[in-house]
Amino acid sequence: MILRDRVAIVTGAGSGIGRAGALIMAREGAHVIAADIDFMNAEETVSQITEAGGSAESLVVDVTDDKALESGIAAVVLRHGRIDILHNHAGAQVAGDLEQVTIDGFDRSWGLNVRAHFMASRLVMPIMKKAGKGVILNTSSSSGVLYDREMIAYTTTKHAVIAMTRQMAGDYAKFGIRVNALCPGWVDTPFNEPFIAQMGGRGAIESYIADKVPLGRWADVSEIAEPILFLVSDRSSYMTGQILVVDGGETVV
């Protein structure tokens, strides 16, 4: 088990990629704090982990609420005395071009996709600095390196996550802390519903993926979980400030 005895916080762990990442970390020995705004989803992730013989607990928190996030992280430190891994995954897709997107939608996207990553990282950094080690993984997207049709809020925030990741990595490498970003492509989860609706339904998105993605298909969450494990484990011990794109080849065409 390559994460034995490590304590990992995963935000947005109640479904999709976040859950898959939490499950694989627990499988490899980490004690996982499954953080999510939805109690039932967080508890379901914990249940799946414990039923498989792993160790986990839920943390119900709105990551855009600074005080709630600070209290939640402080409680984890009080119970466990350490935080070895932070996977900032919680996010939102908000559709619309410059004129169509609502201002509230843009602000919500920024708050969840960027600012919440910033705040969680800021809160765990003193603990990691004291330990002289730690790993932060920020979820960006292939939309962070590509144009994404009529998705200005999402694309802007995901580009920002990459810039923030590189900045944090450069500033904190001297403390033994690694910071990388994951850029998933098309992964078949409910997270894509806003874009599917914008594209005109499931059939339209299937045609789009078949045309634009060289592998010609969606990814399964399990195909994203393995890269997550690589990035949060010692398998990537000499890797920081890097962007790992897992997109079926979309960015090469």
Side-chain angles (χ1 to χ4, degrees):
M1 291 187 177
I2 62 174
L3 298 179
R4 185 184 297 277
D5 298 328
R6 297 186 196 181
V7 175
I9 298 176
V10 181
T11 71
S15 62
I17 293 171
R19 175 176 287 170
L23 290 171
I24 202 167
M25 288 185 216
R27 186 196 76 188
E28 292 298 325
H31 175 76
V32 175
I33 291 86
D36 202 275
I37 196 170
D38 187 294
F39 171 78
M40 294 302 294
N41 285 351
E43 284 294 304
E44 175 59 26
T45 298
V46 170
S47 177
Q48 289 187 26
I49 288 172
T50 56
E51 286 174 7
S55 176
E57 63 190 82
S58 63
L59 173 60
V60 179
V61 64
D62 176 354
V63 293
T64 65
D65 181 334
D66 293 350
K67 289 185 177 179
L69 184 61
E70 183 175 13
S71 295
I73 290 174
V76 171
V77 176
L78 185 64
R79 282 194 300 276
H80 302 288
R82 60 191 297 176
I83 297 172
D84 302 291
I85 297 164
L86 169 65
H87 181 191
N88 286 309
H89 177 70
Q93 250 189 24
V94 177
D97 64 18
L98 177 65
E99 298 169 288
Q100 295 167 342
V101 69
T102 66
I103 301 301
D104 286 348
F106 187 91
D107 288 345
R108 182 171 71 89
S109 185
W110 184 266
L112 189 53
N113 294 353
V114 183
R115 193 177 185 281
H117 289 18
F118 166 84
M119 285 304 302
S121 300
R122 181 183 177 99
L123 291 166
V124 305
M125 195 59 76
I127 293 96
M128 291 183 174
K129 283 173 67 178
K130 186 176 180 180
K133 59 182 178 179
V135 177
I136 296 174
L137 174 61
N138 296 318
T139 296
S140 178
S141 168
S142 59
S143 298
V145 295
L146 288 172
Y147 158 76
D148 201 346
R149 192 181 77 177
E150 297 175 356
M151 295 287 285
I152 191 168
Y154 189 67
T155 302
T156 298
T157 59
K158 292 305 185 178
H159 275 73
V161 168
I162 289 174
M164 183 171 64
T165 295
R166 288 176 169 150
Q167 186 68 37
M168 288 196 297
D171 288 342
Y172 289 94
K174 62 188 175 184
F175 299 106
I177 298 162
R178 299 190 300 108
V179 189
N180 291 296
L182 177 71
C183 291
W186 292 101
V187 186
D188 197 5
T189 74
F191 183 78
N192 292 295
E193 292 304 323
F195 197 75
I196 291 172
Q198 181 172 298
M199 290 287 289
R202 182 80 183 193
I205 202 71
E206 295 283 359
S207 296
Y208 179 89
I209 290 170
D211 180 55
K212 298 294 185 182
V213 177
L215 286 182
R217 62 174 178 83
W218 299 88
D220 182 79
V221 291
S222 64
E223 295 175 292
I224 309 301
E226 289 290 346
I228 289 171
L229 179 61
F230 169 72
L231 289 170
V232 302
S233 73
D234 291 342
R235 290 175 178 173
S236 58
S237 59
Y238 197 59
M239 183 175 174
T240 194
Q242 300 305 306
I243 314 307
L244 183 58
V245 180
V246 187
D247 69 346
E250 185 179 12
T251 54
V252 303
V253 296

